Amino acid sequence: MTLEQRAVFSKQGITISIPKDALPEGIQNEDQIEVIIQKDTDGGFSFSFSINGTVLNSLPDVSVMLPYPNDPAAGTLFLGDESGVEIPMTGYDDAAKAASFQISHTGTYTIAVKENAVSLAQAADTEHSRSPILLLIPACLLLLSAGEFFLRRRRK
């Protein structure tokens, strides 16, 4: 078994790892490879790749590691690309405080959190279980005031 060879590029805490199989065959030492990684202020990034001035947009099985200091356990982290495709997180490195994703093309990506379905369901259950109780309080107050009104009226 041989380990997959990968080209690894890092900038501003963002690491991009490209498998050798994703690159065109016949790359030589003299070839000029340009990788541009730009971090956005909102935690996203843009990534471009070219060989000898020829831009490569499709790069299958590229691994991206982004710094993400918050604990992603409360929700699911995902990357959104410019066409709206959501790419789920594939792993989280606690020591590096970074989330990993698999992308298949260059472009601009934004990082976002979706609350887990379990926590959303629990929130909905809690909300539904509270609403009947909240409705009972005004109903009880209304009944008490009506009862008091009728009792006073009878005494007169």
Side-chain angles (χ1 to χ4, degrees):
M1 180 177 166
T2 59
L3 291 175
E4 181 184 32
Q5 293 180 330
R6 300 182 78 85
V8 179
F9 305 92
S10 291
K11 182 179 178 186
Q12 295 177 316
I14 299 170
T15 301
I16 295 183
S17 176
I18 304 169
K20 182 181 179 187
D21 297 343
L23 300 174
E25 290 186 27
I27 294 177
Q28 303 295 316
N29 286 337
E30 303 81 38
D31 290 336
Q32 182 178 358
I33 296 174
E34 181 179 43
V35 178
I36 300 173
I37 303 168
Q38 289 185 313
K39 188 175 184 178
D40 296 339
T41 55
D42 63 356
F45 71 99
S46 61
F47 159 57
S48 65
F49 188 90
S50 64
I51 298 176
N52 296 325
T54 303
V55 175
L56 295 178
N57 290 321
S58 177
L59 289 168
D61 300 322
V62 171
S63 297
V64 177
M65 188 176 260
L66 291 170
Y68 192 80
N70 303 338
D71 182 7
T76 302
L77 283 178
F78 69 92
L79 281 181
D81 68 8
E82 57 269 305
S83 62
V85 174
E86 295 178 352
I87 302 153
M89 179 178 73
T90 56
Y92 187 79
D93 184 336
D94 286 320
K97 299 280 187 209
S100 299
F101 303 89
Q102 289 288 124
I103 61 173
S104 59
H105 60 85
T106 60
T108 301
Y109 293 88
T110 54
I111 192 166
V113 179
K114 278 190 175 180
E115 287 189 33
N116 287 336
V118 173
S119 61
L120 288 175
Q122 287 172 346
D125 285 347
T126 304
E127 186 177 309
H128 291 307
S129 65
R130 281 188 209 154
S131 57
I133 293 170
L134 292 177
L135 291 174
L136 285 176
I137 293 171
C140 290
L141 290 174
L142 183 64
L143 285 173
L144 284 173
S145 60
E148 186 180 337
F149 174 77
F150 285 116
L151 284 175
R152 284 187 182 175
R153 202 166 182 206
R154 256 191 182 171
R155 289 184 184 168
K156 289 184 181 179

